[in-house]
Amino acid sequence: MSITYLDAIREAQAHALRADPRVFIYGQDVGAFGGAFKATKNLAVEFPGRVLDAPISEDAMIGLAVGAAIEGLRPIIEMQFADFSTVGFNQIVNQAATLFWRTNVSCPIIVRLPFGGTSGGGPFHSQCIEAIYAHYPGLVVLTPATVEDAYSMLIEAVAIDDPVIFCEHKFLYRHLKAEKLPSEALPVGKARIARVGRDLTIVAYSAMVHEALEAATELATEGWQIEVVDLRSVKPLDTDTVIASVARTGKLLCVGEAWPWGGVTAEVIARVASEGYGLLDAPPQRLNAKDTPVPYHPNLWTAHRPTARAVATAARKILRQ
Amino acid sequence: MSITYLDAIREAQAHALRADPRVFIYGQDVGAFGGAFKATKNLAVEFPGRVLDAPISEDAMIGLAVGAAIEGLRPIIEMQFADFSTVGFNQIVNQAATLFWRTNVSCPIIVRLPFGGTSGGGPFHSQCIEAIYAHYPGLVVLTPATVEDAYSMLIEAVAIDDPVIFCEHKFLYRHLKAEKLPSEALPVGKARIARVGRDLTIVAYSAMVHEALEAATELATEGWQIEVVDLRSVKPLDTDTVIASVARTGKLLCVGEAWPWGGVTAEVIARVASEGYGLLDAPPQRLNAKDTPVPYHPNLWTAHRPTARAVATAARKILRQ
Amino acid sequence: MLQTVSEPRADGAAGSVAGAQLAAYRFMLKARLLDDKFAALYRAGKIHGGVFIGKGQEALSAATGVSLKKTDVFAPLIRDAAGRLAFGEPIIDAVRTYLGSALGPMRGRDGNVHRGRPQTGLLPMISHLGAMISVVNGVLFARRMKGISGSVGVASLGEGATSTGAFHEALNQAAVEKLPLILVVANNHYAYSTPNSRQFACADLAEKAVGYGVGSHSVDGTDLAACLATLTEAVGNARAGHGPQLVVANLLRLCGHGEHDDASYIDPKLKKSPLGRDCLKVAEDFLVEEKIADAAQLAVWRSETIREIEDAVAIVQREPAPDPFAEKWCAIASVHLGETHE
Amino acid sequence: MLQTVSEPRADGAAGSVAGAQLAAYRFMLKARLLDDKFAALYRAGKIHGGVFIGKGQEALSAATGVSLKKTDVFAPLIRDAAGRLAFGEPIIDAVRTYLGSALGPMRGRDGNVHRGRPQTGLLPMISHLGAMISVVNGVLFARRMKGISGSVGVASLGEGATSTGAFHEALNQAAVEKLPLILVVANNHYAYSTPNSRQFACADLAEKAVGYGVGSHSVDGTDLAACLATLTEAVGNARAGHGPQLVVANLLRLCGHGEHDDASYIDPKLKKSPLGRDCLKVAEDFLVEEKIADAAQLAVWRSETIREIEDAVAIVQREPAPDPFAEKWCAIASVHLGETHE
Ligand SMILES: Cc1ncc(C[n+]2csc(CCOP(=O)(O)OP(=O)(O)O)c2C)c(N)n1
Ligand SMILES: Cc1ncc(C[n+]2csc(CCOP(=O)(O)OP(=O)(O)O)c2C)c(N)n1
Ligand SMILES: [Mg+2]
Ligand SMILES: [Mg+2]
């Protein structure tokens, strides 16, 4: 048997629906149809009345989730694409994210964001907007990179008493496979050493972890031992694990698929520069997408986002210093 | 005569309306009433038919501006408070910001955002959300800190062929005064050395420039010479001026009124760490607002945002290293 | 015989029509005097930020509040002091929030009209207009899912806020889900300074209902008895399972947008029209005329209420302000997931 | 006598009713065949990303396009190949965008249905549903401000997109400004898989018009002649200064949401109902019956059009793909304000 990242997300939701009567799913086409990506396939049948089609009203979808959370439920909202969450943005950042702090009443909702680039996705079906959510106080922002994490982090997210922005990478949906679902996992909030090394730390998250790992494999043939840190969660951000890795390697490259200005990579580098300054023996570097909308044509797209090759090139520059 | 920051914004708009028939202003209560803050006072009378009240429809307000820009006009949209731009967010970041890149047709609109904290403003009338706009490609994000810049940068913004997010600090509106309006100015995109020093560079923008300057004055009494860089524009960000200053001082403190995660301060520190690494002789530090909604009560508010005292304390820590 | 009620009842079950009118009137009075107090404190420089009052809109607001049961849901807006009191919000919650007391429901973190207690069904508004409606939907939706039946939810709105996308999405959502939502729109003809002619182009906002497939009600918002009758009907319809109800009340606000505003933009013709009547005065005349109360009784209530408010203010003024050093500065409930970084 | 038109005219002025029907039909045919080609290319793996076609919606779309003048404004949506062609979009623009040619209007930066040329009044849709309507408003608003009169603007929409806040804000905005906007809603009864019962609760979407104070039109979207009559009227009203017009057409899409989708969720009863008629077939029967064209002529046009499309595809397939190294990667027009940092 082999389980994809997408299967893992479906299974985690099935698990949550089974285990917790407070859970329901609301999103466009998530019901009988099973969702645009099939992440809720058959769930409407298996859990009647608990997996419901929403109108094309992202603002109201999130508002409804907040109300249901106030009433003690644990809604999971599927955005059809992360890019469309911009029209539900206000309810996420100003309604859901402020509720607990203002009232002491918690707001356990999950907003699932199918995000990230795929070939031919173009400017409005490819965005990586985790940073805009991480910037606002009151949200937990998760970015699983593996099948196992997609499963375990989504299950854990349901138990979190706060709004969780769950960023699922569309490129990994069918691309990434595992043999079985995990029975244990690192807790949310902890980064993972995805590969051990001593010459350079590459910090990445979501799909970029795999580009980093591929680059590390390539660089290994050149004699370099690259450590790869998978952040798993971008807010909170596990600064300790990152800094401990940098302490071992002395060098840092941070890779993100998002736009450069104020992205995860800026935040990571700022933290390491402030808190782990003495550990670095070369300038920390970032590798991000270009600062333009995400292009449609694959030729442009592969140049726009960091690839294993680009990661390896950036890493070599640091290593040769 | 003395001219406030708010007067400067009004005068800049009057100037733009006078000088360029393509300019019009659209926003809630901007017409006969002259705007919630009176930034368009009397303009509807002086420029009939060109200063128009909008319905409470931020999404449609920005959409209309984009259409008008396509048709060759130069709309200025006033958001009543920056915080409410979240409901026009999608049109800003996905419609306005992508138009030029996608079609080669430029999109010269200005979105004026009265932003930043004031006493008693609370969670939804105080936000500093420049970073979420700066994160998206396709936008220019300006943050004038002085009466002069409020005037000259707004006039220059009207001439810019791209969407400009013009962040006007509400705290400075009536607080800040100048003798006269400037006849010349640094161009948009260039940072300004607001105070010359050699011991530490404090990078700040908007209202925080004044906290930084006050802190510098205080620290001067202790013998420290603090250089204060006013970014003026957060996107583009004048990395050269910042790095040149750090080259002189060897130390960096970056101060922002926004939330910490992925804010301007993260971006500045990441750039300096990457590009000016060898210039630093102490870890660069950030001082931001706390990572919670902006509190209503002044006691909480003054602890939430960086003040001159907090800046001075943070600076001392760096200076004593 | 005069009916006297020592404490106004905040319960939809309030026996007779006259009893409900009396109860509602007393909340109107309380709200007016409370608002007057906040306005006075504002002028005295005792309030941080703005003060937003509901003068002229108390009949509608009180009628809304008394039509609800305590177990219902209510998302008031800025001019709803009367409805809040009727729904059960204690005066002291309002005072504590305006003065930023650490003991208030918002603990000084949020202020003025942004108060509520979600646990009691009183939702604390965020400022973004229209945003609370879908939250009410969510509570109602969840109750249905949990098998709790019989409760309804009210969201208040100004006519200006009907221009928001949030209003539209939420009303449509309620209609699709057939939720027991009552959307009460106070058409006071101005959104801040903006007149209706710059806000919408339909003849009557109540006409919007047909496009959503929801019930529709229009009412003279200066007339308490009419408001009560309309709200009773709308709430009853919703409670009976007839789906969302749109109530549009015509009225004027008899004050500025906030206390900083002199409202000089309001058309004098409107002020002189029947819309410009003071609903509190109208209600008093009505009660006296219908012999539900007499002038002496009204005067007693007024002075009692003033005392009650002064007492609350006096208490709150001695209460501790929030202490920034005691503040944990953590925006999330899962403390272990809080960012330690600044 | 048969009327023959060597090139379909894309001009609202198109003489006789029959002439307009014929012109519209030919755009329908062209669109159908073009869409078929894209679907075939998709199945052959030649397209990056999705393919979205308008099968079953060509009558409405073509009628919309032919009702406009070249100087008008048009914001088509995903099922508007016919309307685009009628408005003047060359076939090659569509092919270049789908294939990502560097020579296309989007230069490979954007793809498939996200194409347009703002300079010519053809607005390139962003994906966010409802977002283009206010942009059309903006163009019309600007023209009025510039003193240009007589032009109108169309925004296309699916019924699902009427649930967006953007739709509501923009239609209300157009109504307040009394702009010559025609909002054409194709009610194909599904938004992706979501049936109308989960999307709205009013009996007929055209009923929404009264709540905005705009003109209202309903039409059988499978009937080209009816669509033309309705659009002619709606566009005429707008052009005559009667403000926004809401047109709702009832129809079905005879394809998946995109070519990846088999649309198995569509109710077979609907498919068998009159709504399930293929508007292209209906139009052909009509033209033949009315002796506007004969079968032989239809066959000629079909084969001519296929050739035209094949030629365009052949040309584009030899065109250069965009070159990432030639790309300046600057998202703004003011190059001097571009970030140099990565
Ligand atoms: C989305 C949004 N835009 C703008 C504002 C600023 N604002 C606060 S109250 C107000 C006017 C509201 O008018 P209306 O809805 O008619 O209510 P009223 O004040 O008349 O009771 C505006 C524009 C806001 N709160 N939310
Ligand atoms: C704001 C927004 N939310 C979600 C989507 C994803 N989406 C694309 S098409 C579609 C269905 C549209 O249905 P409808 O408006 O009826 O048009 P149709 O496809 O039937 O022509 C959805 C949900 C989107 N594009 N924009
Ligand atoms: Mg109003
Ligand atoms: Mg549809």
Side-chain angles (χ1 to χ4, degrees):
Chain A
M1 195 186 104
S2 106
I3 293 159
T4 64
Y5 183 96
L6 183 60
D7 294 334
I9 285 168
R10 201 208 85 97
E11 291 310 316
Q13 292 183 102
H15 177 279
L17 285 162
R18 212 172 291 125
D20 190 339
R22 300 171 303 173
V23 174
F24 71 96
I25 301 178
Y26 186 56
Q28 288 142 27
D29 306 296
V30 298
F33 190 62
F37 294 100
K38 301 292 165 194
T40 56
K41 193 173 167 186
N42 295 331
L43 295 181
V45 176
E46 212 177 316
F47 304 96
R50 295 172 65 198
V51 185
L52 296 132
D53 286 342
I56 307 178
S57 302
E58 282 78 4
D59 185 280
M61 285 161 61
I62 305 290
L64 181 142
V66 173
I70 287 173
E71 192 59 23
L73 299 190
R74 304 241 151 192
I76 299 176
I77 304 298
E78 176 178 300
M79 290 279 146
Q80 202 150 79
F81 283 80
D83 313 57
F84 303 138
S85 70
T86 46
V87 283
F89 188 62
N90 183 57
Q91 294 281 17
I92 297 176
V93 303
N94 282 317
Q95 187 85 262
T98 66
L99 185 73
F100 172 72
W101 194 79
R102 294 170 67 229
T103 66
N104 219 23
V105 169
S106 64
C107 186
I109 73 171
I110 296 178
V111 185
R112 290 182 38 237
L113 300 186
F115 90 122
T118 56
S119 178
F124 309 115
H125 291 77
S126 305
Q127 295 175 12
C128 296
I129 51 176
E130 58 283 356
I132 63 165
Y133 293 109
H135 185 57
Y136 279 85
L139 301 170
V140 171
V141 185
L142 307 183
T143 52
T146 65
V147 176
E148 291 80 0
D149 274 353
Y151 181 76
S152 64
M153 289 170 76
L154 185 47
I155 288 179
E156 194 178 340
V158 175
I160 291 176
D161 278 335
D162 293 290
V164 174
I165 308 299
F166 196 83
C167 304
E168 317 169 351
H169 204 295
K170 300 191 298 292
F171 186 74
L172 303 181
Y173 267 166
R174 297 192 167 84
H175 185 78
L176 214 61
K177 295 191 177 83
E179 276 313 298
K180 59 178 177 51
L181 292 172
S183 51
E184 52 182 26
L186 273 182
V188 159
K190 290 279 164 243
R192 176 178 69 99
I193 307 292
R195 180 185 173 117
V196 176
R198 63 171 184 219
D199 297 323
L200 165 71
T201 297
I202 303 184
V203 172
Y205 60 102
S206 193
M208 288 298 118
V209 170
H210 304 283
E211 304 297 329
L213 288 171
E214 200 182 316
T217 305
E218 187 182 323
L219 291 163
T221 67
E222 298 165 25
W224 300 110
Q225 295 186 23
I226 308 295
E227 180 144 310
V228 177
V229 177
D230 170 7
L231 290 175
R232 302 177 73 243
S233 152
V234 305
K235 191 172 190 180
L237 200 157
D238 182 359
T239 321
D240 291 347
T241 298
V242 171
I243 288 187
S245 174
V246 173
R248 287 189 288 275
T249 64
K251 295 187 174 66
L252 173 63
L253 171 65
C254 196
V255 183
E257 189 182 331
W259 296 302
W261 202 109
V264 173
T265 60
E267 183 62 27
V268 168
I269 295 205
R271 290 187 189 199
V272 173
S274 295
E275 298 173 31
Y277 178 78
L279 308 171
L280 286 163
D281 54 39
Q285 299 296 347
R286 289 190 274 176
L287 186 64
N288 296 299
K290 309 274 190 211
D291 193 30
T292 71
V294 185
Y296 166 72
H297 195 285
N299 285 9
L300 298 178
W301 179 61
T302 47
H304 183 269
R305 80 195 265 268
T307 56
R309 168 175 296 196
V311 174
T313 304
R316 271 187 215 102
K317 265 198 213 145
I318 303 174
L319 288 163
R320 288 189 188 138
Q321 271 181 339
Chain B
M1 192 188 108
S2 104
I3 293 160
T4 64
Y5 184 95
L6 184 59
D7 294 334
I9 285 168
R10 202 208 84 98
E11 291 311 316
Q13 293 183 100
H15 177 278
L17 285 160
R18 210 172 293 125
D20 189 340
R22 299 170 305 172
V23 173
F24 71 97
I25 301 179
Y26 186 56
Q28 289 142 25
D29 306 295
V30 298
F33 189 62
F37 295 98
K38 301 291 166 199
T40 57
K41 195 173 166 184
N42 295 331
L43 296 181
V45 176
E46 210 176 316
F47 304 96
R50 293 172 66 197
V51 185
L52 296 132
D53 286 341
I56 307 178
S57 304
E58 283 78 3
D59 184 280
M61 285 160 61
I62 306 290
L64 181 142
V66 173
I70 287 172
E71 192 61 22
L73 299 190
R74 305 241 152 192
I76 299 176
I77 304 298
E78 175 178 299
M79 290 280 145
Q80 202 150 77
F81 284 79
D83 314 58
F84 302 138
S85 70
T86 47
V87 284
F89 189 61
N90 182 57
Q91 295 280 18
I92 298 175
V93 303
N94 283 316
Q95 187 85 262
T98 66
L99 184 72
F100 172 72
W101 194 79
R102 293 170 68 230
T103 66
N104 219 25
V105 169
S106 65
C107 186
I109 73 172
I110 295 179
V111 184
R112 290 183 36 237
L113 299 185
F115 89 122
T118 56
S119 178
F124 309 115
H125 291 76
S126 306
Q127 295 176 11
C128 297
I129 51 176
E130 58 283 357
I132 63 165
Y133 292 109
H135 185 57
Y136 279 85
L139 301 170
V140 171
V141 184
L142 306 183
T143 52
T146 65
V147 176
E148 291 80 359
D149 274 353
Y151 181 74
S152 65
M153 289 170 76
L154 186 47
I155 288 179
E156 193 178 341
V158 174
I160 291 176
D161 278 335
D162 294 289
V164 174
I165 308 299
F166 196 83
C167 303
E168 317 169 353
H169 205 294
K170 301 191 298 291
F171 187 74
L172 304 181
Y173 267 166
R174 297 191 167 85
H175 186 79
L176 214 61
K177 297 192 176 82
E179 277 315 296
K180 59 176 177 54
L181 291 173
S183 52
E184 52 182 27
L186 271 182
V188 158
K190 289 280 165 242
R192 176 178 70 98
I193 306 292
R195 179 185 175 116
V196 175
R198 62 171 183 220
D199 296 323
L200 165 71
T201 297
I202 302 185
V203 172
Y205 61 101
S206 193
M208 288 298 118
V209 169
H210 305 283
E211 303 297 329
L213 289 170
E214 200 182 316
T217 306
E218 187 182 323
L219 290 164
T221 66
E222 300 164 26
W224 300 110
Q225 294 187 24
I226 308 295
E227 180 144 310
V228 177
V229 177
D230 171 6
L231 289 175
R232 300 175 75 244
S233 151
V234 305
K235 190 170 191 182
L237 201 157
D238 182 359
T239 320
D240 290 348
T241 297
V242 171
I243 287 186
S245 174
V246 173
R248 288 189 288 276
T249 64
K251 294 188 175 63
L252 173 63
L253 172 65
C254 195
V255 183
E257 189 183 331
W259 296 302
W261 202 109
V264 173
T265 61
E267 183 62 27
V268 168
I269 294 208
R271 290 188 188 198
V272 173
S274 294
E275 297 174 30
Y277 178 79
L279 308 171
L280 286 162
D281 54 40
Q285 298 297 346
R286 290 188 273 175
L287 187 63
N288 296 300
K290 308 275 190 211
D291 192 30
T292 72
V294 185
Y296 166 72
H297 195 285
N299 286 8
L300 298 179
W301 178 61
T302 46
H304 183 267
R305 81 195 263 270
T307 55
R309 167 174 298 196
V311 174
T313 305
R316 272 187 214 102
K317 265 197 213 145
I318 304 175
L319 289 162
R320 286 185 188 140
Q321 271 180 341
Chain C
M1 244 267 318
L2 287 182
Q3 309 192 22
T4 50
V5 199
S6 58
E7 259 300 293
R9 287 191 52 185
D11 198 318
S16 67
V17 168
Q21 286 162 346
L22 198 53
Y25 164 72
R26 293 194 57 194
F27 290 118
M28 292 174 66
L29 177 67
K30 219 169 183 171
R32 175 69 59 90
L33 295 171
L34 183 59
D35 276 352
D36 282 351
K37 182 68 194 176
F38 289 134
L41 287 167
Y42 176 84
R43 287 190 299 272
K46 296 274 165 64
I47 304 262
H48 311 290
V51 165
F52 303 90
I53 70 175
K55 191 169 177 182
Q57 306 196 182
E58 294 96 339
L60 175 68
S61 186
T64 302
V66 300
S67 306
L68 294 176
K69 297 185 186 169
K70 285 276 168 51
T71 48
D72 288 329
V73 188
F74 183 32
L77 232 67
I78 58 177
R79 313 207 184 281
D80 272 320
R84 288 168 172 277
L85 292 165
F87 189 64
E89 183 181 79
I91 280 184
I92 200 155
D93 272 14
V95 178
R96 283 176 164 153
T97 307
Y98 259 110
L99 295 183
S101 162
L103 306 183
M106 312 315 278
R107 298 163 291 163
R109 293 177 174 188
D110 208 343
N112 52 58
V113 289
H114 301 86
R115 62 188 186 269
R117 296 188 181 266
Q119 316 89 321
T120 70
L122 187 66
L123 300 182
M125 61 173 276
I126 69 167
S127 298
H128 300 72
L129 293 167
M132 299 309 297
I133 311 168
S134 57
V135 181
V136 176
N137 289 350
V139 175
L140 299 172
F141 179 94
R143 289 192 181 173
R144 183 168 67 197
M145 195 168 261
K146 296 198 295 183
I148 299 172
S149 64
S151 59
V152 303
V154 163
S156 282
L157 218 63
E159 87 295 336
T162 65
S163 300
T164 62
F167 154 83
H168 170 73
E169 293 194 1
L171 182 53
N172 183 60
Q173 177 182 61
V176 168
E177 292 295 340
K178 225 176 180 225
L179 295 172
L181 169 78
I182 305 100
L183 187 49
V184 179
V185 177
N187 178 4
N188 64 11
H189 296 73
Y190 289 86
Y192 209 151
S193 76
T194 305
N196 287 357
S197 59
R198 294 292 301 161
Q199 197 70 248
F200 55 84
C202 59
D204 179 347
L205 284 175
E207 290 178 352
K208 286 195 178 288
V210 60
Y212 293 93
V214 303
S216 179
H217 311 260
S218 273
V219 66
D220 175 353
T222 66
D223 179 343
L224 173 62
C227 287
L228 268 170
T230 301
L231 263 300
T232 303
E233 187 190 335
V235 168
N237 285 355
R239 215 183 291 284
H242 301 318
Q245 308 290 316
L246 178 66
V247 176
V248 177
N250 286 294
L251 41 78
L252 276 190
R253 73 168 137 77
L254 304 177
C255 53
H257 173 67
E259 285 310 288
H260 58 279
D261 170 32
D262 66 6
S264 53
Y265 44 79
I266 295 185
D267 185 346
K269 274 200 229 92
L270 273 179
K271 285 199 221 174
K272 269 179 247 135
S273 80
L275 281 181
R277 304 190 300 176
D278 179 347
C279 61
L280 191 70
K281 183 79 175 50
V282 173
E284 288 174 349
D285 292 349
F286 173 83
L287 292 175
V288 172
E289 207 162 292
E290 297 285 316
K291 302 208 163 43
I292 300 171
D294 63 18
Q297 180 64 76
L298 296 182
V300 170
W301 285 334
R302 180 172 286 261
S303 55
E304 273 177 16
T305 307
I306 289 174
R307 207 171 324 122
E308 195 185 347
I309 291 166
E310 292 296 344
D311 288 351
V313 171
I315 290 172
V316 174
Q317 280 177 331
R318 290 189 303 266
E319 285 179 357
D323 175 2
F325 300 103
E327 177 61 59
K328 276 185 217 75
W329 299 113
C330 178
I332 57 175
S334 322
V335 180
H336 69 289
L337 296 178
E339 284 280 8
T340 49
H341 198 91
E342 273 178 18
Chain D
M1 245 270 316
L2 287 182
Q3 309 193 23
T4 51
V5 199
S6 60
E7 259 300 293
R9 287 191 53 184
D11 198 320
S16 66
V17 170
Q21 287 162 346
L22 198 52
Y25 163 73
R26 291 194 58 193
F27 289 118
M28 291 174 65
L29 176 67
K30 220 169 182 169
R32 175 68 60 90
L33 295 171
L34 183 59
D35 275 352
D36 282 350
K37 182 66 193 178
F38 289 134
L41 287 166
Y42 176 83
R43 286 189 300 273
K46 296 274 164 63
I47 304 260
H48 311 291
V51 165
F52 303 90
I53 69 173
K55 191 170 178 182
Q57 307 196 182
E58 293 95 341
L60 175 68
S61 185
T64 301
V66 299
S67 307
L68 295 175
K69 297 184 186 169
K70 284 277 168 51
T71 49
D72 289 328
V73 188
F74 183 33
L77 233 66
I78 58 176
R79 313 207 185 280
D80 272 320
R84 289 169 171 277
L85 292 165
F87 189 64
E89 183 181 79
I91 280 183
I92 200 155
D93 272 15
V95 177
R96 282 175 165 152
T97 307
Y98 259 111
L99 295 182
S101 162
L103 306 182
M106 313 314 279
R107 298 162 292 163
R109 292 176 175 191
D110 208 342
N112 52 60
V113 290
H114 300 85
R115 61 187 187 268
R117 295 188 182 268
Q119 315 90 321
T120 69
L122 187 65
L123 301 182
M125 60 174 276
I126 69 166
S127 298
H128 300 72
L129 293 167
M132 299 309 298
I133 310 167
S134 57
V135 180
V136 175
N137 289 350
V139 176
L140 298 172
F141 180 93
R143 289 192 181 172
R144 183 167 68 196
M145 194 166 261
K146 294 198 296 184
I148 299 172
S149 64
S151 58
V152 303
V154 163
S156 282
L157 217 65
E159 86 296 335
T162 64
S163 300
T164 62
F167 154 84
H168 170 72
E169 293 194 1
L171 183 52
N172 183 60
Q173 178 181 61
V176 168
E177 293 295 341
K178 223 173 182 228
L179 296 171
L181 169 77
I182 305 101
L183 186 49
V184 179
V185 177
N187 176 4
N188 63 12
H189 295 74
Y190 289 86
Y192 209 151
S193 76
T194 305
N196 286 358
S197 59
R198 295 292 301 161
Q199 197 70 247
F200 55 82
C202 59
D204 179 348
L205 284 173
E207 291 178 352
K208 287 193 177 290
V210 61
Y212 294 92
V214 303
S216 179
H217 311 261
S218 274
V219 65
D220 174 354
T222 66
D223 179 344
L224 173 61
C227 287
L228 269 170
T230 301
L231 263 300
T232 303
E233 188 190 334
V235 168
N237 285 354
R239 213 181 294 282
H242 302 316
Q245 307 290 316
L246 177 65
V247 176
V248 178
N250 285 294
L251 41 76
L252 276 190
R253 76 167 135 76
L254 305 176
C255 53
H257 172 66
E259 284 310 288
H260 59 280
D261 171 30
D262 65 7
S264 53
Y265 44 79
I266 295 185
D267 185 345
K269 273 199 230 92
L270 274 178
K271 283 199 222 173
K272 267 177 248 134
S273 79
L275 282 181
R277 302 190 301 176
D278 180 348
C279 62
L280 190 70
K281 183 77 175 50
V282 173
E284 288 175 349
D285 291 351
F286 172 83
L287 293 176
V288 172
E289 207 161 292
E290 298 286 315
K291 299 207 165 42
I292 301 170
D294 63 18
Q297 180 65 76
L298 295 182
V300 169
W301 284 334
R302 179 173 287 260
S303 56
E304 272 178 16
T305 307
I306 289 175
R307 207 172 323 123
E308 195 184 347
I309 290 166
E310 292 296 343
D311 287 351
V313 172
I315 289 171
V316 174
Q317 280 177 331
R318 289 189 303 267
E319 285 179 357
D323 175 2
F325 300 101
E327 177 61 59
K328 275 184 217 75
W329 300 113
C330 179
I332 58 176
S334 323
V335 179
H336 69 289
L337 295 177
E339 284 280 8
T340 50
H341 197 92
E342 272 178 20

